[in-house]
């Protein structure tokens, strides 16, 4: 299945990533958050294709705070992990995972 992202999707992801970069005063955060949000939108479109409605979180959290999941569906927490096509590494924030484990908020699945 091919997922197509339109201009509206790209603009939503761009705006989200820009807002995080400005809020946290780190321009270097833009590309990772832009790529990640595009991935979340693509997974959302995949679910929607099969009649499954999921909502994405576009909130901006202060440093040290974060969302509980990327997608929540019928009691299941799903985190979407993406990387840019020119990336040589795949980054997972283990500090975030450790905090989430202590709070019993680890996702059920990674996609």
């Amino acid at each position: 299945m091919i997922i197509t992202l339109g201009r509206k999707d790209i603009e939503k992801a761009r705006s989200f990533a820009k807002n995080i970069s400005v809020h946290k005063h780190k321009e270097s955060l833009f590309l990772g958050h832009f790529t990640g949000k595009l991935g979340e939108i693509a997974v959302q479109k995949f679910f929607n294709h099969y009649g499954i409605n999921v909502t994405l979180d576009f909130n901006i959290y202060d440093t040290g705070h974060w969302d509980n999941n990327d997608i929540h569906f019928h009691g299941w927490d799903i985190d979407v992990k993406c990387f840019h096509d020119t990336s040589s590494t795949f980054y997972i924030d283990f500090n975030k995972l450790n905090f989430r484990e202590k709070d019993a908020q680890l996702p059920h699945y990674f996609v």
Side-chain angles (χ1 to χ4, degrees):
M1 171 179 193
I2 296 175
I3 305 289
T4 303
L5 299 178
R7 285 183 186 214
K8 185 177 178 182
D9 300 319
I10 293 167
E11 179 53 34
K12 282 173 64 175
R14 188 200 66 76
S15 177
F16 175 76
K18 181 179 177 187
N19 288 339
I20 285 182
S21 298
V22 169
H23 180 78
K24 296 193 177 186
H25 307 288
K26 289 186 178 181
E27 190 174 318
S28 62
L29 295 175
F30 177 84
L31 183 59
H33 285 283
F34 177 66
T35 303
K37 193 54 76 176
L38 284 176
E40 290 176 28
I41 292 169
V43 172
Q44 179 187 44
K45 286 181 169 256
F46 174 83
F47 278 112
N48 289 344
H49 176 79
Y50 291 100
I52 302 168
N53 185 30
V54 295
T55 304
L56 300 180
D57 184 0
F58 284 87
N59 292 314
I60 308 293
Y61 298 91
D62 290 331
T63 301
H65 297 76
W66 45 79
D67 57 356
N68 292 332
N69 54 60
D70 294 328
I71 295 173
H72 184 80
F73 177 70
H74 289 291
W76 295 93
D77 292 326
I78 303 167
D79 269 8
V80 178
K81 298 297 172 201
C82 302
F83 58 94
H84 194 269
D85 65 346
T86 60
S87 295
S88 60
T89 58
F90 181 70
Y91 176 76
I92 296 177
D93 187 345
F94 284 101
N95 287 329
K96 181 179 173 182
L97 287 179
N98 287 333
F99 284 120
R100 288 172 69 182
E101 181 180 33
K102 288 177 187 175
D103 291 342
Q105 294 180 344
L106 283 174
H108 295 98
Y109 294 100
F110 288 97
V111 177

